[in-house]
Amino acid sequence: MRDVAVIGIGLTKFGELWEKSFRDLITEAGIKAIEDAGISGREIDGIYVGSMSAGRFVGQEHVGALVADSAGLTGVPSTRVESACASGGLAFRQAYLAVASGIHDMVVVGGVEKMTDVVSTEATNTLATAADQEWESFFGATFPALYALIATRHMYEYGTTREQLAQVAVKNHANGALNPNAHFRRKISVDDVLNSSPVAYPLRLLDCSPVSDGAAAVILCPLKDAKKYTDKIVKIIGSGQASDTLALHSRDDICTFKSTVLASKMAYKQAKIKPKDIDVAEVHDCFTIAEILATEDLGFFKKGEGSKAVEEGLTEINGTIPINTSGGLKAKGHPVGATGVAQIAEIVMQLRGEADRRQVKDAEIGLTHNIGGSGASCAVHILEVV
Amino acid sequence: MTTHYHLVSKFWREIPHRYNLIGTRCGECKTVYFPPRNVCPRCRRSSIGKMEKYKLKGKGKIYTYTIIHVAPETFEDEIPYIIAIVKLDEGPMVTSQIVDCNPDKIKIGMPVEIAFRKIQEDGDTGAIYYGYKFRPIKR
Ligand SMILES: [Zn+2]
């Protein structure tokens, strides 16, 4: 296995981008990443694209080839990766494995979703296909309902409060206000969250990530070649992935995502570090409760103490472990296939010291955590500036 | 309405399970599964061919719950409705709607029993799908 570096990143703005198509978005992100890396298209010998449901969102499958075509890179092998909301994180891992193995030398990883070409009910129904259609959705369990079931149980077992959940959204909106690419750039208060319309008790509208359009791309190459392109080299030091039951009810404990625990153990072991060595992390906060669960399952806090940590400000940009400096899925937006790749881009910016007003001081090691469905798949990556 | 509900055969297939709460039991380790499984995740290969049908009694307790205020078209008429994970006495957990219960009264640990009801109606084909819901056990 070869060491692998991230040498370029590219992001579109996230939001309701009615003037931009699926092709426009992914091409824009890809070109920005190529320019950031300072490479030429000719050097690219592999493409991986994360997309959850182009088929339902824009009526187009076969997006691996489409992306190569749109980018003017026909001939280059191009693979689409699907794992619901973790499609981007898994595409990144596939690309990493391809470069580490020596099969490819210069790979573009893209993530994209164009979600606002369909009416919002169809977008919601499409997102719900990440759940177990036959044994959850059929009975009327919506996608937010699954995270609401987790939240109710977390409140019961660990005393997590409604206000603590709201504080996750407040923090992430404050971070999003500092991110020029974020879908939402306005600060909100705990009261705003508590007074927003109910979606699935105990979750309200401002506990949920939005339906967004957007794309992200990053460029990977062997570490030994990276210095030809950049002097701010970010190395991938850990990569982990795990799966779990599709339905929440098939698990012994719904307050822990076993996939997060297993994927992060794999990544920590490879990186030879512990959770306390992480300086900054982007975690999968599709709902406020999901961020609390993630910070516990990744080992930043003991089980049941994630909610108190938010309340105490430990996860703010100046806290002991800054979480979701980008604004997270909550405020930056959640174009599902793009999310896992956009998380990598944010961590690379942090490690290069390019995160502007969101910059975490002296960040050297960062982590990304991308979840599919209600935890049935998970990808964790650890990056270090060298 | 949506494209993913128009195939009737997939609902026919699930009728025995959804009408009668029939799961499976592993002939090796005797663990009961609902929804049914073809392979026991504990015994894996040694369970193949030994998964037997197992009828669950339909009694259990609320493990966790939510109250739905935003739902797909097929459930819109029922808002607000309760969705819960019920831990059945035999061990497995299921996701189900809770009926005959005021949403303000629902609690973790509440004993419930199965109730056979209409689950949803397909507006385009007129097909009506039935299955289990749960309701509080009256003392
Ligand atoms: Zn068994």
Side-chain angles (χ1 to χ4, degrees):
Chain A
M1 293 275 278
R2 303 191 286 188
D3 285 330
V4 180
V6 182
I7 58 165
I9 57 168
L11 288 164
T12 69
K13 191 179 162 20
F14 284 8
E16 289 181 38
L17 310 173
W18 58 268
E19 76 286 4
K20 287 190 177 150
S21 71
F22 183 95
R23 294 171 202 224
D24 295 338
L25 289 167
I26 188 64
T27 311
E28 179 186 332
I31 289 171
K32 281 179 173 166
I34 287 168
E35 282 176 354
D36 182 51
I39 59 167
S40 74
R42 238 174 305 118
E43 295 173 81
I44 295 163
D45 67 353
I47 302 171
Y48 288 84
V49 190
S51 161
M52 175 187 172
S53 195
R56 285 183 59 155
F57 286 124
V58 293
Q60 175 74 60
E61 302 291 13
H62 207 173
V63 298
L66 177 140
V67 167
D69 182 5
S70 308
L73 293 169
T74 51
V76 176
S78 183
T79 308
R80 181 248 186 109
V81 178
E82 187 278 316
S83 194
C85 331
S87 300
L90 264 62
F92 181 80
R93 180 168 152 87
Q94 289 304 310
Y96 163 68
L97 296 175
V99 176
S101 70
I103 295 284
H104 288 306
D105 290 321
M106 184 68 75
V107 173
V108 186
V109 192
V112 56
E113 217 75 60
K114 173 73 198 174
M115 301 174 74
T116 64
D117 274 359
V118 292
V119 295
S120 72
T121 48
E122 177 57 13
T124 309
N125 290 342
T126 300
L127 290 171
T129 62
D132 189 324
Q133 288 294 292
E134 294 192 23
W135 301 105
E136 291 179 327
S137 311
F138 173 81
F139 294 96
T142 59
F143 195 60
L146 301 176
Y147 278 90
L149 290 168
I150 296 169
T152 304
R153 188 73 197 182
H154 203 277
M155 291 163 93
Y156 173 80
E157 284 195 30
Y158 303 109
T160 295
T161 66
R162 211 6 298 197
E163 287 72 17
Q164 289 169 332
L165 293 175
Q167 274 151 349
V168 174
V170 171
K171 168 184 70 73
N172 290 351
H173 271 255
N175 293 352
L178 306 175
N179 183 352
N181 289 319
H183 187 156
F184 295 130
R185 301 203 57 200
R186 70 188 165 91
K187 289 188 181 185
I188 56 169
S189 68
V190 167
D191 280 345
D192 291 336
V193 183
L194 300 183
N195 295 325
S196 61
S197 59
V199 173
Y201 170 87
L203 302 180
R204 289 173 174 269
L205 188 65
L206 288 177
D207 287 294
C208 311
S209 56
V211 165
S212 320
D213 304 324
V218 300
I219 314 280
L220 305 186
C221 77
L223 182 67
K224 64 174 174 51
D225 300 335
K227 50 181 119 14
K228 280 193 278 182
Y229 304 99
T230 174
D231 47 11
K232 287 179 196 163
I233 300 171
V234 174
K235 178 184 167 187
I236 303 167
I237 60 170
S239 174
Q241 184 191 335
S243 59
D244 200 354
T245 63
L246 197 58
L248 214 49
H249 58 228
S250 303
R251 303 178 197 162
D252 294 333
D253 175 10
I254 65 166
C255 292
T256 295
F257 280 172
K258 205 169 71 184
S259 60
T260 300
V261 174
L262 294 174
S264 60
K265 266 191 185 156
M266 198 184 288
Y268 288 135
K269 191 177 168 203
Q270 182 188 354
K272 299 190 184 71
I273 61 161
K274 297 213 149 51
K276 65 167 171 50
D277 300 320
I278 302 292
D279 299 317
V280 56
E282 287 285 301
V283 312
H284 200 92
D285 61 324
C286 48
F287 300 93
T288 47
I289 182 64
E291 178 170 310
I292 290 172
L293 229 59
T295 57
E296 295 169 350
D297 296 339
L298 291 166
F300 300 144
F301 307 110
K302 276 196 219 131
K303 184 49 70 181
E305 294 181 3
S307 22
K308 210 168 65 204
V310 178
E311 189 177 351
E312 289 168 0
L314 305 183
T315 55
E316 289 170 12
I317 288 175
N318 297 317
T320 52
I321 171 72
I323 302 286
N324 286 331
T325 53
S326 69
L329 284 56
K330 177 70 207 64
K332 180 187 57 187
H334 184 27
V336 273
T339 287
V341 182
Q343 290 177 326
I344 299 281
E346 174 72 9
I347 293 300
V348 169
M349 276 189 261
Q350 287 286 355
L351 300 183
R352 287 174 174 177
E354 296 170 355
D356 200 18
R357 289 199 291 156
R358 314 190 302 284
Q359 185 63 47
V360 171
K361 206 166 157 273
D362 303 326
E364 287 175 359
I365 301 179
L367 176 147
T368 63
H369 164 261
N370 191 196
I371 283 285
S374 57
S377 50
C378 178
V380 171
H381 286 94
I382 303 173
L383 310 180
E384 181 176 23
V385 64
V386 293
Chain B
M1 54 132 223
T2 54
T3 45
H4 58 296
Y5 285 139
H6 71 243
L7 284 176
V8 175
S9 59
K10 95 177 196 194
F11 295 101
W12 274 103
R13 257 191 333 260
E14 302 305 345
I15 279 178
H17 312 293
R18 287 188 184 143
Y19 282 36
N20 303 313
L21 212 64
I22 291 175
T24 47
R25 185 169 70 168
C26 171
E28 281 290 299
C29 71
K30 308 296 177 198
T31 305
V32 177
Y33 294 102
F34 191 91
R37 285 185 176 274
N38 297 320
V39 177
C40 172
R42 291 189 190 178
C43 307
R44 297 180 188 159
R45 195 169 160 180
S46 52
S47 71
I48 293 169
K50 293 181 191 162
M51 299 302 283
E52 46 205 44
K53 280 186 186 159
Y54 190 90
K55 183 164 166 53
L56 291 112
K57 291 199 181 73
K59 285 196 163 55
K61 288 195 172 97
I62 303 284
Y63 171 77
T64 185
Y65 66 88
T66 176
I67 301 154
I68 310 283
H69 296 274
V70 180
E73 297 95 317
T74 39
F75 291 93
E76 248 168 14
D77 295 346
E78 299 173 53
I79 291 169
Y81 61 93
I82 306 167
I83 287 285
I85 293 180
V86 174
K87 185 159 177 60
L88 300 169
D89 290 349
E90 293 90 342
M93 300 209 287
V94 288
T95 300
S96 170
Q97 201 172 324
I98 306 296
V99 291
D100 302 342
C101 180
N102 182 331
D104 295 337
K105 295 275 148 45
I106 183 90
K107 269 223 271 295
I108 288 176
M110 183 187 264
V112 290
E113 64 186 2
I114 194 164
F116 182 72
R117 295 289 170 89
K118 181 177 98 175
I119 305 285
Q120 50 172 284
E121 203 168 328
D122 188 319
D124 292 343
T125 63
I128 296 173
Y129 303 120
Y130 292 92
Y132 53 79
K133 296 186 180 180
F134 282 77
R135 65 181 169 220
I137 297 177
K138 299 219 168 63
R139 309 204 175 181

